Amino acid sequence: MGQEKEKEKRFSWFWRWFLNNQIVTSLLIVLLILLILLVFTKVSYLFKPVWQFIGVVGLPLIMAGILYYLMNPVVDYLEKKRIPRLWSIIGLFIIVIALMIWGLVVIVPKIQEQTVSFGNHFPQYIDTIDKKMQEILSDPLFAQFRSQLEDMGDKLISSLGDIIRNISTFTVQGLGSFVGAVATIVVAIITMPFILFYLLKDGKQLAPYLMKFLPNKMRQPTLKVLGEVNSQVSSYIRGQLTVAFAVAVMFILGFSFIGLDYAITLGITAGFLNLIPYLGSFLAMVPAIFLGIVGGPVLLAKVLVVFVIEQTIEGRVISPLVLGSQLDIHPVTILVVLLTSGKLFGVVGVILGIPVYAAAKVIITHVFEWYKDVSSLYHEEEELNKLE
């Protein structure tokens, strides 16, 4: 009996200080995760075919997924109106193909023309800005800052020249990579419609089919998590694309109204860059402000007015109506996610970082809630909260 009590006492001490300790449990979980990552780094060559497979099918899947979230609500609505789902999908495909043909015939040549024109006039723009800088520096008011401003201007022009030379060098050296990228895009464009068609046709059956491979107890919670992830991602994608389209239209109309050159190209560029939260619109304004400086103070003031009006309408009207607070992510968190995903995965990371984070947040939240239920580490805290 004495030995059993001694063992029970030792076990209780071990349980209290190690097994039932939140800090120790958290450290053990972190240690296990790090050990798993270490093992994966040692056998990473085994996953090389998997990454190659993802590299091949990833782009068409992403493209099909984006179009699925845009088109599926329309197909569902038409299906409720007793229009066969297959006919709704075929009708939407015809409309999308018609819009693509219209874009290739009307929009793409215009963008190409404006881009080539901007490239041809770029040296003249640099000379114009240099002359304006000299005029400013000749003013007695800036005499004491003349040397510093001259150095800044020389560095700016030198940096622009270096950027152009680097782009030219990269274009020549990366010709093989460019051809490979074009081939990947062509394959994605060819395969994407087939993936999209079956997603629209049988997408609702995918989750129940996958649930058959899970134990019975896990099916309902997993369906709930997948439903919330789907809701978060679909809301974000539809909202961001709607806002981006509205931003492109506003900038095209605004720049055309004030007589700024390359209004269509600048507006479409602003729409694409607006897919980057918080930073996209400001990045899109860089070339517009550059052209405004070339055009003179009056044109620059008009460009800034257009920017202020666009930001006001977008921030006060469009974004709250379309996006609202669906993701419930703090702006600082969004910036951190953008910087991190951009550093790790480039442009694709910047565009997809937020929806991936939103999905991961839902999954981690549910996993943590499950852990709180099965673990005794948080029961006392919950009882104290009830007493309070």
Short mmCIF file of all heavy atoms in Angstrom, two decimals, residues 60-76 79 85 89 92-93 96 192-208 226 229-231 233-235 237-238 241:
data_model
loop_
_atom_site.label_atom_id
_atom_site.label_comp_id
_atom_site.label_asym_id
_atom_site.label_seq_id
_atom_site.Cartn_x
_atom_site.Cartn_y
_atom_site.Cartn_z
N PRO A 60 -3.71 25.93 -63.54
CA PRO A 60 -5.10 25.75 -64.02
C PRO A 60 -6.10 25.55 -62.90
O PRO A 60 -7.25 25.99 -63.02
CB PRO A 60 -5.00 24.49 -64.91
CG PRO A 60 -3.74 23.84 -64.54
CD PRO A 60 -2.81 24.91 -64.10
N LEU A 61 -5.69 24.91 -61.80
CA LEU A 61 -6.61 24.75 -60.67
C LEU A 61 -6.94 26.09 -60.04
O LEU A 61 -8.10 26.36 -59.69
CB LEU A 61 -5.99 23.82 -59.63
CG LEU A 61 -6.08 22.31 -59.91
CD1 LEU A 61 -5.33 21.53 -58.84
CD2 LEU A 61 -7.53 21.87 -59.97
N ILE A 62 -5.93 26.96 -59.88
CA ILE A 62 -6.18 28.29 -59.29
C ILE A 62 -7.08 29.11 -60.20
O ILE A 62 -8.05 29.74 -59.75
CB ILE A 62 -4.85 29.01 -59.05
CG1 ILE A 62 -4.06 28.31 -57.92
CG2 ILE A 62 -5.08 30.47 -58.69
CD1 ILE A 62 -2.67 28.85 -57.73
N MET A 63 -6.79 29.11 -61.51
CA MET A 63 -7.62 29.85 -62.45
C MET A 63 -9.04 29.33 -62.46
O MET A 63 -10.02 30.11 -62.45
CB MET A 63 -7.00 29.77 -63.85
CG MET A 63 -5.65 30.46 -63.98
SD MET A 63 -4.80 30.07 -65.53
CE MET A 63 -5.94 30.72 -66.73
N ALA A 64 -9.19 27.99 -62.48
CA ALA A 64 -10.53 27.41 -62.48
C ALA A 64 -11.25 27.71 -61.17
O ALA A 64 -12.47 27.97 -61.17
CB ALA A 64 -10.44 25.89 -62.70
N GLY A 65 -10.52 27.69 -60.04
CA GLY A 65 -11.14 27.99 -58.75
C GLY A 65 -11.65 29.41 -58.68
O GLY A 65 -12.76 29.66 -58.17
N ILE A 66 -10.88 30.36 -59.18
CA ILE A 66 -11.31 31.76 -59.17
C ILE A 66 -12.57 31.95 -60.01
O ILE A 66 -13.55 32.57 -59.58
CB ILE A 66 -10.17 32.67 -59.67
CG1 ILE A 66 -9.02 32.68 -58.65
CG2 ILE A 66 -10.68 34.10 -59.90
CD1 ILE A 66 -7.78 33.40 -59.14
N LEU A 67 -12.56 31.39 -61.22
CA LEU A 67 -13.74 31.51 -62.08
C LEU A 67 -14.93 30.74 -61.50
O LEU A 67 -16.09 31.14 -61.68
CB LEU A 67 -13.41 31.00 -63.48
CG LEU A 67 -12.47 31.89 -64.30
CD1 LEU A 67 -12.14 31.24 -65.63
CD2 LEU A 67 -13.08 33.27 -64.53
N TYR A 68 -14.64 29.64 -60.79
CA TYR A 68 -15.73 28.87 -60.16
C TYR A 68 -16.46 29.72 -59.12
O TYR A 68 -17.70 29.75 -59.09
CB TYR A 68 -15.14 27.62 -59.51
CG TYR A 68 -16.11 26.91 -58.60
CD1 TYR A 68 -17.12 26.09 -59.11
CD2 TYR A 68 -16.03 27.05 -57.21
CE1 TYR A 68 -18.02 25.44 -58.28
CE2 TYR A 68 -16.91 26.40 -56.37
CZ TYR A 68 -17.91 25.60 -56.90
OH TYR A 68 -18.79 24.98 -56.06
N TYR A 69 -15.69 30.42 -58.27
CA TYR A 69 -16.33 31.25 -57.25
C TYR A 69 -17.09 32.41 -57.85
O TYR A 69 -18.05 32.91 -57.25
CB TYR A 69 -15.28 31.76 -56.27
CG TYR A 69 -14.81 30.71 -55.29
CD1 TYR A 69 -13.46 30.38 -55.19
CD2 TYR A 69 -15.70 30.04 -54.47
CE1 TYR A 69 -13.03 29.41 -54.28
CE2 TYR A 69 -15.29 29.07 -53.58
CZ TYR A 69 -13.95 28.77 -53.49
OH TYR A 69 -13.54 27.81 -52.61
N LEU A 70 -16.68 32.86 -59.05
CA LEU A 70 -17.41 33.94 -59.71
C LEU A 70 -18.69 33.44 -60.39
O LEU A 70 -19.73 34.10 -60.35
CB LEU A 70 -16.51 34.61 -60.76
CG LEU A 70 -15.40 35.52 -60.23
CD1 LEU A 70 -14.56 36.01 -61.40
CD2 LEU A 70 -15.99 36.71 -59.49
N MET A 71 -18.60 32.27 -61.01
CA MET A 71 -19.71 31.78 -61.84
C MET A 71 -20.70 30.91 -61.07
O MET A 71 -21.86 30.83 -61.46
CB MET A 71 -19.13 31.01 -63.03
CG MET A 71 -18.27 31.86 -63.95
SD MET A 71 -17.36 30.91 -65.20
CE MET A 71 -18.71 30.25 -66.16
N ASN A 72 -20.25 30.25 -60.01
CA ASN A 72 -21.13 29.32 -59.31
C ASN A 72 -22.40 29.98 -58.74
O ASN A 72 -23.48 29.38 -58.82
CB ASN A 72 -20.36 28.62 -58.19
CG ASN A 72 -21.14 27.49 -57.57
OD1 ASN A 72 -21.54 26.55 -58.25
ND2 ASN A 72 -21.38 27.57 -56.27
N PRO A 73 -22.31 31.19 -58.14
CA PRO A 73 -23.56 31.82 -57.66
C PRO A 73 -24.56 32.05 -58.78
O PRO A 73 -25.77 31.90 -58.57
CB PRO A 73 -23.08 33.15 -57.06
CG PRO A 73 -21.66 32.92 -56.71
CD PRO A 73 -21.13 31.99 -57.75
N VAL A 74 -24.07 32.40 -59.98
CA VAL A 74 -24.98 32.61 -61.11
C VAL A 74 -25.63 31.29 -61.52
O VAL A 74 -26.84 31.23 -61.77
CB VAL A 74 -24.21 33.23 -62.30
CG1 VAL A 74 -25.15 33.45 -63.48
CG2 VAL A 74 -23.57 34.55 -61.88
N VAL A 75 -24.82 30.22 -61.56
CA VAL A 75 -25.37 28.91 -61.93
C VAL A 75 -26.39 28.45 -60.89
O VAL A 75 -27.45 27.92 -61.25
CB VAL A 75 -24.21 27.89 -62.07
CG1 VAL A 75 -24.78 26.49 -62.34
CG2 VAL A 75 -23.28 28.29 -63.20
N ASP A 76 -26.09 28.64 -59.61
CA ASP A 76 -27.03 28.26 -58.56
C ASP A 76 -28.34 29.04 -58.67
O ASP A 76 -29.44 28.49 -58.49
CB ASP A 76 -26.41 28.50 -57.17
CG ASP A 76 -25.31 27.51 -56.86
OD1 ASP A 76 -25.25 26.45 -57.51
OD2 ASP A 76 -24.49 27.80 -55.97
N GLU A 79 -30.30 27.76 -61.56
CA GLU A 79 -30.83 26.44 -61.23
C GLU A 79 -32.09 26.56 -60.37
O GLU A 79 -33.04 25.79 -60.53
CB GLU A 79 -29.77 25.60 -60.53
CG GLU A 79 -30.15 24.14 -60.36
CD GLU A 79 -29.05 23.32 -59.71
OE1 GLU A 79 -28.19 23.92 -59.02
OE2 GLU A 79 -29.04 22.10 -59.90
N ARG A 85 -28.87 22.91 -64.89
CA ARG A 85 -27.53 23.37 -64.53
C ARG A 85 -26.56 23.27 -65.71
O ARG A 85 -25.73 24.15 -65.92
CB ARG A 85 -27.01 22.53 -63.35
CG ARG A 85 -25.75 23.09 -62.71
CD ARG A 85 -25.38 22.36 -61.44
NE ARG A 85 -24.25 22.99 -60.78
CZ ARG A 85 -24.34 23.99 -59.92
NH1 ARG A 85 -25.53 24.47 -59.60
NH2 ARG A 85 -23.25 24.52 -59.37
N ILE A 89 -24.40 26.40 -67.35
CA ILE A 89 -22.93 26.39 -67.47
C ILE A 89 -22.52 26.68 -68.92
O ILE A 89 -21.61 27.48 -69.17
CB ILE A 89 -22.37 25.04 -67.00
CG1 ILE A 89 -22.67 24.83 -65.51
CG2 ILE A 89 -20.87 24.95 -67.25
CD1 ILE A 89 -22.35 23.45 -65.00
N LEU A 92 -23.01 30.38 -69.70
CA LEU A 92 -21.96 31.21 -69.10
C LEU A 92 -20.64 31.05 -69.84
O LEU A 92 -19.90 32.02 -70.01
CB LEU A 92 -21.80 30.84 -67.62
CG LEU A 92 -22.84 31.42 -66.66
CD1 LEU A 92 -22.59 30.91 -65.25
CD2 LEU A 92 -22.80 32.94 -66.68
N PHE A 93 -20.33 29.83 -70.26
CA PHE A 93 -19.10 29.61 -71.02
C PHE A 93 -19.12 30.42 -72.32
O PHE A 93 -18.11 31.02 -72.71
CB PHE A 93 -18.93 28.12 -71.33
CG PHE A 93 -18.09 27.40 -70.32
CD1 PHE A 93 -18.48 27.34 -68.99
CD2 PHE A 93 -16.92 26.78 -70.68
CE1 PHE A 93 -17.72 26.68 -68.04
CE2 PHE A 93 -16.14 26.10 -69.75
CZ PHE A 93 -16.54 26.06 -68.43
N VAL A 96 -18.47 34.08 -71.42
CA VAL A 96 -17.07 34.31 -71.06
C VAL A 96 -16.17 34.28 -72.29
O VAL A 96 -15.28 35.12 -72.46
CB VAL A 96 -16.61 33.25 -70.02
CG1 VAL A 96 -15.10 33.33 -69.82
CG2 VAL A 96 -17.32 33.47 -68.70
N MET A 192 -7.78 24.52 -68.17
CA MET A 192 -8.63 25.19 -67.19
C MET A 192 -10.12 25.08 -67.48
O MET A 192 -10.92 24.80 -66.58
CB MET A 192 -8.21 26.65 -67.05
CG MET A 192 -9.01 27.46 -66.04
SD MET A 192 -10.48 28.24 -66.77
CE MET A 192 -9.70 29.42 -67.87
N PRO A 193 -10.59 25.27 -68.75
CA PRO A 193 -12.04 25.17 -68.99
C PRO A 193 -12.63 23.82 -68.63
O PRO A 193 -13.77 23.75 -68.15
CB PRO A 193 -12.15 25.45 -70.50
CG PRO A 193 -10.93 26.24 -70.84
CD PRO A 193 -9.86 25.71 -69.94
N PHE A 194 -11.87 22.73 -68.85
CA PHE A 194 -12.39 21.41 -68.52
C PHE A 194 -12.53 21.25 -67.00
O PHE A 194 -13.54 20.71 -66.52
CB PHE A 194 -11.46 20.33 -69.07
CG PHE A 194 -11.34 20.34 -70.56
CD1 PHE A 194 -10.29 20.99 -71.19
CD2 PHE A 194 -12.31 19.72 -71.36
CE1 PHE A 194 -10.18 21.01 -72.57
CE2 PHE A 194 -12.21 19.74 -72.74
CZ PHE A 194 -11.15 20.39 -73.36
N ILE A 195 -11.51 21.72 -66.25
CA ILE A 195 -11.59 21.67 -64.79
C ILE A 195 -12.76 22.51 -64.29
O ILE A 195 -13.53 22.10 -63.42
CB ILE A 195 -10.26 22.14 -64.16
CG1 ILE A 195 -9.11 21.24 -64.61
CG2 ILE A 195 -10.35 22.15 -62.63
CD1 ILE A 195 -7.74 21.73 -64.16
N LEU A 196 -12.90 23.72 -64.85
CA LEU A 196 -13.98 24.61 -64.44
C LEU A 196 -15.35 24.00 -64.72
O LEU A 196 -16.27 24.10 -63.90
CB LEU A 196 -13.83 25.95 -65.16
CG LEU A 196 -14.92 26.99 -64.92
CD1 LEU A 196 -15.00 27.36 -63.45
CD2 LEU A 196 -14.68 28.23 -65.78
N PHE A 197 -15.49 23.36 -65.88
CA PHE A 197 -16.78 22.77 -66.24
C PHE A 197 -17.21 21.71 -65.22
O PHE A 197 -18.35 21.72 -64.74
CB PHE A 197 -16.69 22.15 -67.64
CG PHE A 197 -17.93 21.43 -68.06
CD1 PHE A 197 -19.01 22.13 -68.57
CD2 PHE A 197 -18.02 20.04 -67.94
CE1 PHE A 197 -20.16 21.47 -68.95
CE2 PHE A 197 -19.17 19.38 -68.32
CZ PHE A 197 -20.24 20.08 -68.83
N TYR A 198 -16.29 20.83 -64.86
CA TYR A 198 -16.65 19.77 -63.92
C TYR A 198 -16.79 20.30 -62.49
O TYR A 198 -17.55 19.74 -61.69
CB TYR A 198 -15.61 18.65 -63.99
CG TYR A 198 -15.76 17.81 -65.24
CD1 TYR A 198 -14.85 17.92 -66.28
CD2 TYR A 198 -16.83 16.93 -65.38
CE1 TYR A 198 -14.99 17.16 -67.43
CE2 TYR A 198 -16.98 16.17 -66.54
CZ TYR A 198 -16.06 16.29 -67.56
OH TYR A 198 -16.22 15.55 -68.71
N LEU A 199 -16.07 21.38 -62.16
CA LEU A 199 -16.28 22.00 -60.85
C LEU A 199 -17.68 22.58 -60.75
O LEU A 199 -18.38 22.41 -59.73
CB LEU A 199 -15.24 23.10 -60.61
CG LEU A 199 -13.86 22.68 -60.12
CD1 LEU A 199 -12.95 23.90 -60.02
CD2 LEU A 199 -13.94 21.99 -58.77
N LEU A 200 -18.12 23.27 -61.79
CA LEU A 200 -19.46 23.84 -61.78
C LEU A 200 -20.53 22.76 -61.82
O LEU A 200 -21.60 22.90 -61.20
CB LEU A 200 -19.62 24.79 -62.97
CG LEU A 200 -18.83 26.10 -62.93
CD1 LEU A 200 -18.91 26.81 -64.27
CD2 LEU A 200 -19.34 27.00 -61.82
N LYS A 201 -20.26 21.69 -62.52
CA LYS A 201 -21.26 20.64 -62.69
C LYS A 201 -21.35 19.74 -61.46
O LYS A 201 -22.45 19.43 -60.98
CB LYS A 201 -20.91 19.80 -63.93
CG LYS A 201 -21.91 18.71 -64.25
CD LYS A 201 -21.54 18.03 -65.57
CE LYS A 201 -22.49 16.88 -65.88
NZ LYS A 201 -22.38 15.77 -64.95
N ASP A 202 -20.21 19.33 -60.91
CA ASP A 202 -20.21 18.34 -59.83
C ASP A 202 -19.51 18.83 -58.57
O ASP A 202 -19.18 18.02 -57.70
CB ASP A 202 -19.51 17.06 -60.31
CG ASP A 202 -20.16 16.48 -61.56
OD1 ASP A 202 -21.39 16.52 -61.65
OD2 ASP A 202 -19.42 16.02 -62.45
N GLY A 203 -19.27 20.15 -58.46
CA GLY A 203 -18.52 20.66 -57.32
C GLY A 203 -19.17 20.39 -55.98
O GLY A 203 -18.49 20.14 -54.98
N LYS A 204 -20.51 20.42 -55.94
CA LYS A 204 -21.21 20.21 -54.67
C LYS A 204 -21.07 18.78 -54.16
O LYS A 204 -21.24 18.53 -52.97
CB LYS A 204 -22.70 20.55 -54.85
CG LYS A 204 -22.96 22.02 -55.08
CD LYS A 204 -24.45 22.28 -55.20
CE LYS A 204 -24.73 23.77 -55.40
NZ LYS A 204 -26.18 24.04 -55.51
N GLN A 205 -20.76 17.86 -55.05
CA GLN A 205 -20.63 16.46 -54.64
C GLN A 205 -19.23 16.10 -54.17
O GLN A 205 -19.00 14.99 -53.69
CB GLN A 205 -21.01 15.55 -55.81
CG GLN A 205 -22.41 15.81 -56.35
CD GLN A 205 -22.70 15.00 -57.60
OE1 GLN A 205 -21.94 14.10 -57.96
NE2 GLN A 205 -23.79 15.33 -58.28
N LEU A 206 -18.28 17.05 -54.33
CA LEU A 206 -16.89 16.75 -53.99
C LEU A 206 -16.70 16.53 -52.50
O LEU A 206 -16.09 15.54 -52.07
CB LEU A 206 -15.98 17.87 -54.49
CG LEU A 206 -14.48 17.69 -54.22
CD1 LEU A 206 -13.96 16.44 -54.92
CD2 LEU A 206 -13.70 18.93 -54.69
N ALA A 207 -17.21 17.46 -51.68
CA ALA A 207 -17.03 17.34 -50.22
C ALA A 207 -17.69 16.09 -49.65
O ALA A 207 -17.05 15.34 -48.90
CB ALA A 207 -17.56 18.60 -49.53
N PRO A 208 -18.97 15.79 -49.99
CA PRO A 208 -19.56 14.54 -49.47
C PRO A 208 -18.80 13.30 -49.92
O PRO A 208 -18.70 12.32 -49.17
CB PRO A 208 -20.98 14.55 -50.05
CG PRO A 208 -21.28 16.00 -50.28
CD PRO A 208 -19.98 16.62 -50.68
N LEU A 226 -14.89 22.77 -43.72
CA LEU A 226 -14.79 23.01 -45.16
C LEU A 226 -15.81 24.04 -45.62
O LEU A 226 -15.52 24.87 -46.50
CB LEU A 226 -14.98 21.70 -45.91
CG LEU A 226 -13.87 20.66 -45.78
CD1 LEU A 226 -14.22 19.39 -46.54
CD2 LEU A 226 -12.54 21.21 -46.27
N VAL A 229 -14.46 27.46 -44.56
CA VAL A 229 -13.33 27.83 -45.42
C VAL A 229 -13.83 28.26 -46.79
O VAL A 229 -13.38 29.27 -47.34
CB VAL A 229 -12.34 26.65 -45.55
CG1 VAL A 229 -11.31 26.92 -46.63
CG2 VAL A 229 -11.64 26.39 -44.22
N ASN A 230 -14.75 27.49 -47.35
CA ASN A 230 -15.31 27.83 -48.66
C ASN A 230 -16.01 29.18 -48.63
O ASN A 230 -15.87 29.99 -49.56
CB ASN A 230 -16.30 26.74 -49.08
CG ASN A 230 -16.93 27.03 -50.42
OD1 ASN A 230 -16.28 27.00 -51.45
ND2 ASN A 230 -18.24 27.31 -50.41
N SER A 231 -16.74 29.46 -47.55
CA SER A 231 -17.42 30.75 -47.42
C SER A 231 -16.43 31.91 -47.35
O SER A 231 -16.61 32.94 -48.02
CB SER A 231 -18.31 30.74 -46.17
OG SER A 231 -18.92 32.00 -45.98
N VAL A 233 -13.20 32.01 -48.40
CA VAL A 233 -12.44 32.16 -49.64
C VAL A 233 -13.31 32.71 -50.76
O VAL A 233 -12.91 33.63 -51.49
CB VAL A 233 -11.80 30.82 -50.05
CG1 VAL A 233 -11.12 30.94 -51.40
CG2 VAL A 233 -10.79 30.37 -49.01
N SER A 234 -14.53 32.18 -50.89
CA SER A 234 -15.41 32.65 -51.96
C SER A 234 -15.80 34.11 -51.77
O SER A 234 -15.83 34.89 -52.73
CB SER A 234 -16.67 31.78 -52.02
OG SER A 234 -17.40 31.87 -50.81
N SER A 235 -16.09 34.51 -50.53
CA SER A 235 -16.45 35.91 -50.26
C SER A 235 -15.28 36.83 -50.60
O SER A 235 -15.48 37.90 -51.19
CB SER A 235 -16.85 36.07 -48.80
OG SER A 235 -17.98 35.31 -48.50
N ILE A 237 -12.64 36.27 -52.68
CA ILE A 237 -12.32 36.31 -54.11
C ILE A 237 -13.35 37.13 -54.88
O ILE A 237 -13.01 38.01 -55.67
CB ILE A 237 -12.22 34.88 -54.67
CG1 ILE A 237 -10.97 34.20 -54.11
CG2 ILE A 237 -12.17 34.91 -56.20
CD1 ILE A 237 -10.82 32.76 -54.54
N ARG A 238 -14.64 36.86 -54.64
CA ARG A 238 -15.68 37.62 -55.34
C ARG A 238 -15.61 39.10 -54.98
O ARG A 238 -15.74 39.97 -55.86
CB ARG A 238 -17.06 37.05 -55.02
CG ARG A 238 -17.37 35.74 -55.71
CD ARG A 238 -18.87 35.45 -55.68
NE ARG A 238 -19.32 35.17 -54.32
CZ ARG A 238 -19.43 33.96 -53.82
NH1 ARG A 238 -19.12 32.90 -54.55
NH2 ARG A 238 -19.87 33.78 -52.59
N LEU A 241 -12.35 40.81 -56.57
CA LEU A 241 -12.45 40.98 -58.02
C LEU A 241 -13.49 42.04 -58.38
O LEU A 241 -13.29 42.81 -59.33
CB LEU A 241 -12.82 39.65 -58.67
CG LEU A 241 -11.72 38.58 -58.66
CD1 LEU A 241 -12.23 37.28 -59.24
CD2 LEU A 241 -10.49 39.04 -59.43
#
